[in-house]
Amino acid sequence: MSRSIALAVALIALAGPVSAQVYPYSPAGRPDLTTGDIHRYEMDRLRNQADRSQALAQSQSAQTRATIQSLQARRQPPLDLPEARRPLTLEEARQARQAAEARSGAVVRSTTQIDTWLDRRPQ
């Protein structure tokens, strides 16, 4: 019995760290297990479960970062350079002045019509 345990310990030591699935053992199924063995197996099982959870969290975190970067890259507006402004020609300046005077004249005419109607005598 002690020889098989020594052989198992030697094989484990030579193999190095191994991540294997460890099932919980019940004392009823294996009367040769001590409480310490059961606790060790349970701790190994919990460590493996924690390692799997951590690996999943890291992969999801990397996937989330990649998704956020791709969304930010698509959100970036295209580069539009403003048109270079050139001075107006004499004809363009005259047309712009006439258009501005026409707009202000329309506003003045509409307000004078309202003022005239408000200033009329009662009948």
Side-chain angles (χ1 to χ4, degrees):
M1 176 85 165
S2 64
R3 195 171 184 189
S4 63
I5 292 174
L7 181 60
V9 170
L11 286 175
I12 290 173
L14 290 175
V18 176
S19 176
Q21 188 171 5
V22 179
Y23 295 103
Y25 290 93
S26 66
R30 302 270 315 265
D32 59 323
L33 291 178
T34 64
T35 304
D37 291 335
I38 294 170
H39 288 234
R40 187 176 65 247
Y41 290 135
E42 182 64 17
M43 289 302 295
D44 289 342
R45 185 185 70 78
L46 292 174
R47 269 194 210 101
N48 287 333
Q49 182 180 2
D51 290 343
R52 284 193 307 272
S53 297
Q54 184 179 8
L56 177 64
Q58 287 174 350
S59 70
Q60 288 177 343
S61 176
Q63 195 173 28
T64 301
R65 280 193 303 273
T67 302
I68 288 172
Q69 287 176 350
S70 69
L71 288 174
Q72 287 175 345
R74 278 190 266 162
R75 185 187 311 158
Q76 188 176 23
L79 182 63
D80 288 336
L81 295 176
E83 246 182 66
R85 295 200 55 152
R86 59 175 180 77
L88 298 175
T89 63
L90 290 177
E91 182 61 28
E92 290 171 340
R94 186 182 59 76
Q95 288 174 353
R97 188 184 72 243
Q98 287 175 347
E101 288 173 355
R103 282 192 304 271
S104 65
V107 170
V108 169
R109 276 193 304 278
S110 66
T111 54
T112 54
Q113 288 175 354
I114 293 171
D115 288 341
T116 305
W117 183 81
L118 290 172
D119 291 340
R120 70 178 164 76
R121 285 168 137 187
Q123 295 182 7

